[in-house]
């Protein structure tokens, strides 16, 4: 009888120890996965931030190249009458050989001549007002009447004898 009592007591203590061990393992597992999840989230956010910063820098460089390209063209255009045949042919060529979807020349009154032959007054547009002040322009997305789609406008002023057109 003593043996049975001893076995019962040992079995209960083993059972207690096993239960404590299982609870301990569960607490450790939950803590481990919680902290691992937090680390993974933090690492993911950091990677996204770094990649976004790199893409932003690449986009800025691309836009700067476009500005310089357009400024060079503007310098060439300023050598003659804005809407002469050579300049109109030049904007046709620009569209054909670049990724720019629409190209136009705008005079100081806001009259714009586009590569597709359209003529429109854009004097009320913010991008025109900024270019008129002598600034490079990257517009907010806007609805293009010429293209019939939402567009972003990249514009540079055309200077004639250091005087904006």
């Amino acid at each position: 009888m003593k043996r049975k009592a001893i076995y019962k007591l040992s079995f209960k203590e083993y059972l207690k120890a096993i239960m404590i061990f299982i609870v301990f393992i569960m607490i450790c597992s939950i803590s481990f996965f919680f902290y691992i999840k937090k680390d993974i989230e933090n690492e993911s956010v950091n990677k996204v931030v770094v990649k976004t910063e790199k893409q932003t820098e690449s986009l800025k460089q691309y836009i700067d190249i476009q500005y310089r390209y357009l400024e060079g063209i503007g310098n060439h255009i300023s050598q003659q009458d804005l809407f002469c045949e050579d300049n109109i042919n030049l904007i046709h060529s620009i569209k054909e050989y670049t990724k720019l979807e629409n190209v136009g020349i705008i005079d100081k009154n806001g009259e714009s001549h586009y590569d597709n032959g359209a003529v429109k007054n854009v004097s009320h547009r913010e991008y025109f007002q900024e270019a008129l002040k002598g600034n490079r322009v990257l517009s907010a997305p806007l609805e293009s009447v010429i293209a019939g789609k939402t567009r972003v406008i990249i514009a540079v002023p055309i200077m004639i004898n250091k005087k904006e057109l």
Side-chain angles (χ1 to χ4, degrees):
M1 183 123 142
K2 256 184 170 182
R3 275 186 137 169
K4 255 187 174 179
I6 291 174
Y7 286 129
K8 267 188 174 177
L9 189 57
S10 291
F11 180 72
K12 284 183 181 178
E13 287 191 20
Y14 284 129
L15 193 58
K16 263 189 202 176
I18 289 172
M19 291 302 272
I20 289 172
F21 180 72
I22 289 172
V23 168
F24 175 76
I25 294 295
M26 288 176 64
I27 289 172
C28 288
S29 297
I30 290 170
S31 297
F32 176 76
F33 289 117
F34 176 76
Y35 288 113
I36 289 293
K37 180 182 174 192
K38 284 288 186 190
D39 282 347
I40 290 172
E41 286 174 359
N42 290 338
E43 189 65 29
S44 297
V45 167
N46 288 339
K47 283 183 179 181
V48 167
V49 167
V50 167
K51 286 186 179 198
T52 302
E53 288 171 350
K54 286 180 180 179
Q55 288 177 342
T56 300
E57 189 58 37
S58 293
L59 183 60
K60 284 179 182 177
Q61 289 174 357
Y62 177 78
I63 290 171
D64 188 57
I65 289 168
Q66 296 302 314
Y67 279 140
R68 286 186 275 143
Y69 176 69
L70 290 174
E71 286 167 342
I73 292 168
N75 184 43
H76 177 75
I77 287 174
S78 71
Q79 305 298 320
Q80 48 201 332
D81 178 46
L82 276 185
F83 304 120
C84 72
E85 189 177 336
D86 286 342
N87 288 345
I88 299 300
N89 289 337
L90 178 62
I91 64 173
H92 288 293
S93 180
I94 292 168
K95 182 176 179 183
E96 186 177 337
Y97 293 105
T98 67
K99 291 183 180 183
L100 300 174
E101 292 190 22
N102 287 100
V103 182
I105 302 171
I106 307 171
D107 70 10
K108 63 183 177 184
N109 298 321
E111 184 179 310
S112 180
H113 291 249
Y114 293 93
D115 59 274
N116 62 2
V119 177
K120 181 178 183 247
N121 189 296
V122 294
S123 60
H124 64 285
R125 296 283 193 160
E126 187 178 339
Y127 64 85
F128 172 73
Q129 297 298 324
E130 280 300 309
L132 205 55
K133 293 176 187 174
N135 299 323
R136 289 176 163 183
V137 178
L138 178 64
S139 76
L142 51 88
E143 199 63 33
S144 170
V145 175
I146 301 300
K149 297 179 183 176
T150 301
R151 297 278 191 232
V152 174
I153 307 297
I154 297 175
V156 296
I158 298 173
M159 306 292 224
I160 298 178
N161 299 329
K162 306 260 182 198
K163 199 173 149 190
E164 185 178 337
L165 234 192

